[in-house]
Amino acid sequence: MNPGRGNNPDRDATWQSLAEHHRATASLEMRDLFARDPARARRLSITVGDLLGDLSKHRINEETISLLLRLATASGLPAAVRDLFAGRRINRSEDRPALHTALRAPRSSALLLDGRDVIADVHTELDRFLGFADEVNSGRITGAWGMPFDTVVNIGIGGSDLGPRLVADAMEEVSTSRIRVEFVANVDEHDLSRVLRRCDPRSTLFLQVSKSFRTVETAVNAASARAWLVEKSCPDPARHFAAVTANVPAALDQGIPAERVFGFRDWVGGRYSVWSAAGLAAAIRIGAPAFRRLLAGAHAMDLHFRDADLPANLPVMLGLLDVWYASFFGAETLAVVPYDHRLRLLPAYLSQLVMESNGKSVDASGNTLRNPTGQIVWGAEGTNAQHAFFQLLHQGTHIVPVDLLVYAKPGRDAAHHRQLVANCFAQSAALMAGRKDADPQRRCEGNRPSTTLLYRDLDPHTLGMLLALYEHRVFVEAHVWGINPFDQWGVELGKDLARSLVAGRDNDVPDPSTAMLLERCRSMGDGDSGD
Ligand code: F6P
């Protein structure tokens, strides 16, 4: 059983060895591994700056690690990492590089792409959009009534929403801005109308954020926001809009003034775009200096990923563990549980990052993958999650690896923090060790894997490190599975069908169930209860 990625005997043999090793170690108990080797926790943890990853509560021994590392090497991971950073066209189905790492590279670095210095271009645009953020914050930029803005509404969806929403929310405590930032993503009118109810048209700035500038939800919401301004007798609605896009001509065509259109290049994937001008709403909220610290944190993780030896490389080891559980244990999901209220939006952000990247069933050359890939990422903040889904994690029949994230430095109230940390560590200990009990209802078998990510505190630098850590982890998984993580063709089918249903072309109704639903929706909407 190999994952089906071409002629690579060394890799296939390693895959086979891992399958055999998995069978041979099925009864391996983590509590026994700890009993035999008390140094295991220290040996199996990796520190990057202020971030510690504890990998010891996993169903692995020395041989597992050496086989996984052999798999990485046999798959050509080191060369793939070099290609990523060098801007090679690794997104083959779209024939372009994936250069989100260039968005956070320092000004002093250089990277030539088709004869142009990418880093110089990145910094020109970074200075532009952070300058705009400063001007919005200072009140120097005003709307059509001559009033400074006090509210910014980010209109975007997917990568044009989840990243800036997460960063703005997570960094609420470091924000010094007087500007309130709101997010509208859903085409459901209730999303926009709830936000507009809180806005004063005279002091509201809309950011239309869309890489393609063709996403229907965003276009519809932006048009309704514009109509709202007109309805409120706005003398010049264009002065209440700015745009972020890789399709600058489309934004200009829509009448958005050129000095308020901020670009990024098509080699930035939507779900990797928070580091670009797509992060503008967050930059306004947290301020330009904090946004630069976010980028510096991501860059620190980039350097670690690029330069650290594989066994000491946190994204590499986490990515290999994901492969270990998904491909050999058949674990289909990964639960992400931040014991940090500020990271409550992280599971939603990671759902897109991981699932839109690696939710594929063919490899980068189009061959069908014969092995499970991808991970279903879900989760919620701890401690809330303990009172919701942790029962299944402790006693359910599924194997669910869990990421637990927690900060070390108490905030203003040490009592809260003591409770929080104790709960986080108690969960990972309980998942690992379980509890013996003669009563099967009360017994917890344990041996359930988790990673704990412990960081000093959630400042912008650490947040940048964490997000980049997950980006690179996804890259490692994708590479080992042979997937191109930078395209998302599957999303297009639903978009095409929605377009034809909106157009109301009866011939395009795809099946009898959909026809029935359309018909019933029409009659129910008209007040017919169907009795
Ligand atoms: O859902 C597909 C997708 O293309 C995502 O990859 C992207 O983040 C989102 O739509 C929004 O796209 P855009 O930024 O082009 O509006």
Side-chain angles (χ1 to χ4, degrees):
M1 179 181 57
N2 75 52
R5 44 184 318 260
N7 186 16
N8 183 339
D10 190 14
R11 183 180 188 289
D12 290 354
T14 312
W15 194 273
Q16 199 54 45
S17 305
L18 270 161
E20 280 156 25
H21 173 71
H22 173 251
R23 277 191 293 276
T25 55
S27 58
L28 208 64
E29 293 277 347
M30 283 188 266
R31 49 186 167 236
D32 296 339
L33 296 172
F34 276 106
R36 280 203 294 275
D37 174 14
R40 177 179 170 87
R42 280 190 194 288
R43 237 175 358 87
L44 295 183
S45 50
I46 298 176
T47 301
V48 189
D50 281 347
L51 172 67
L52 171 114
D54 176 5
L55 279 48
S56 63
K57 292 196 186 84
H58 281 289
R59 292 170 68 167
I60 52 173
N61 61 16
E62 287 303 312
E63 194 185 349
T64 326
I65 295 171
S66 97
L67 284 170
L68 287 171
L69 289 169
R70 182 136 57 92
L71 182 68
T73 313
S75 308
L77 181 65
V81 173
R82 283 196 295 276
D83 288 350
L84 170 76
F85 282 92
R88 302 259 145 69
R89 295 179 175 274
I90 56 174
N91 177 356
R92 280 163 54 187
S93 75
E94 295 176 320
D95 190 26
R96 57 194 185 210
L99 264 177
H100 41 286
T101 51
L103 296 171
R104 53 248 188 168
R107 209 181 286 275
S108 55
S109 52
L111 178 64
L112 282 184
L113 194 67
D114 302 329
R116 275 191 78 88
D117 182 359
V118 168
I119 307 296
D121 287 350
V122 161
H123 279 270
T124 302
E125 205 56 13
L126 178 63
D127 292 343
R128 261 192 87 221
F129 80 79
L130 291 185
F132 181 75
D134 280 345
E135 296 211 323
V136 171
N137 268 314
S138 70
R140 275 196 299 277
I141 292 186
T142 57
W145 280 275
M147 282 173 64
F149 296 113
D150 61 12
T151 306
V152 166
V153 181
N154 186 95
I155 300 180
I157 197 163
S160 298
D161 166 72
L162 293 162
R165 194 191 283 256
L166 164 67
V167 172
D169 190 59
M171 292 293 101
E172 183 56 34
E173 279 77 8
V174 307
S175 168
T176 51
S177 174
R178 55 175 188 85
I179 307 272
R180 198 164 52 91
V181 179
E182 301 270 7
F183 291 85
V184 173
N186 198 336
V187 76
D188 181 343
E189 67 188 78
H190 298 96
D191 196 359
L192 179 65
S193 67
R194 285 182 180 194
V195 168
L196 291 183
R197 234 180 285 152
R198 298 193 285 269
C199 294
D200 178 342
R202 296 169 304 167
S203 52
T204 298
L205 173 69
F206 295 97
L207 300 183
Q208 188 170 344
V209 185
S210 176
K211 176 182 172 182
S212 59
F213 230 70
R214 277 196 294 265
T215 301
V216 171
E217 291 95 325
T218 301
V220 168
N221 277 324
S224 296
R226 192 175 290 267
W228 176 76
L229 287 168
V230 171
E231 186 193 306
K232 303 288 179 191
S233 310
C234 176
D236 186 0
R239 289 185 61 183
H240 289 254
F241 270 87
V244 177
T245 183
N247 183 1
V248 170
L252 296 176
D253 278 355
Q254 205 176 285
I256 300 179
E259 66 279 11
R260 290 192 186 182
V261 177
F262 303 97
F264 60 95
R265 297 287 303 279
D266 65 359
W267 38 251
V268 180
R271 53 193 172 276
Y272 299 87
S273 66
V274 65
W275 323 102
S276 73
L280 179 56
I284 291 172
R285 182 69 197 143
I286 71 176
F291 195 84
R292 288 188 191 276
R293 287 203 297 282
L294 178 86
L295 299 180
H299 180 64
M301 185 55 72
D302 292 342
L303 295 183
H304 168 77
F305 180 51
R306 194 191 65 186
D307 299 336
D309 291 342
L310 298 188
N313 194 310
L314 190 54
V316 168
M317 292 309 296
L318 290 176
L320 291 174
L321 284 171
D322 291 331
V323 171
W324 175 232
Y325 290 113
S327 296
F328 296 93
F329 286 78
E332 293 190 323
T333 85
L334 170 75
V336 176
V337 184
Y339 279 76
D340 189 336
H341 181 69
R342 297 165 295 183
L343 287 178
R344 64 194 164 150
L345 300 182
L346 184 66
Y349 173 84
L350 293 180
S351 296
Q352 188 203 21
L353 178 68
V354 178
M355 292 159 79
E356 200 166 73
S357 297
N358 287 350
K360 315 278 167 66
S361 49
V362 295
D363 70 14
S365 310
N367 305 306
T368 301
L369 293 162
R370 294 194 291 272
N371 217 47
T373 60
Q375 285 170 304
I376 299 162
V377 174
W378 60 289
E381 65 184 294
T383 58
N384 308 17
Q386 291 173 204
H387 304 273
F389 56 75
F390 264 67
Q391 166 60 33
L392 181 145
L393 302 184
H394 287 292
Q395 285 191 311
T397 53
H398 301 79
I399 296 179
V400 183
V402 189
D403 279 7
L404 303 159
L405 297 94
V406 69
Y407 57 100
K409 186 167 175 272
R412 276 204 312 228
D413 193 329
H416 281 262
H417 186 254
R418 237 187 341 270
Q419 287 289 343
L420 184 78
V421 170
N423 271 277
C424 175
F425 296 166
Q427 291 304 320
S428 70
L431 286 165
M432 188 274 286
R435 179 164 55 196
K436 291 198 170 61
D437 199 302
D439 179 353
Q441 306 295 335
R442 292 167 192 264
R443 191 181 310 142
C444 291
E445 298 296 346
N447 217 20
R448 296 179 178 226
S450 68
T451 300
T452 301
L453 294 171
L454 173 69
Y455 43 92
R456 190 187 303 277
D457 198 10
L458 194 72
D459 55 22
H461 193 273
T462 306
L463 180 60
M465 286 181 80
L466 281 171
L467 300 186
L469 168 67
Y470 278 97
E471 286 179 349
H472 295 320
R473 175 176 174 177
V474 167
F475 180 81
V476 171
E477 293 164 28
H479 184 75
V480 172
W481 283 322
I483 287 171
N484 173 5
F486 298 115
D487 61 13
Q488 60 284 319
W489 296 103
V491 186
E492 297 306 316
L493 172 61
K495 286 187 192 170
D496 290 346
L497 285 176
R499 261 191 294 273
S500 49
L501 292 181
V502 164
R505 292 190 297 264
D506 282 351
N507 289 348
D508 290 341
V509 175
D511 58 75
S513 159
T514 308
M516 185 271 293
L517 289 169
L518 278 170
E519 164 54 26
R520 293 292 292 129
C521 183
R522 239 174 258 141
S523 57
M524 275 176 160
D526 288 345
D528 171 8
S529 67
D531 295 338

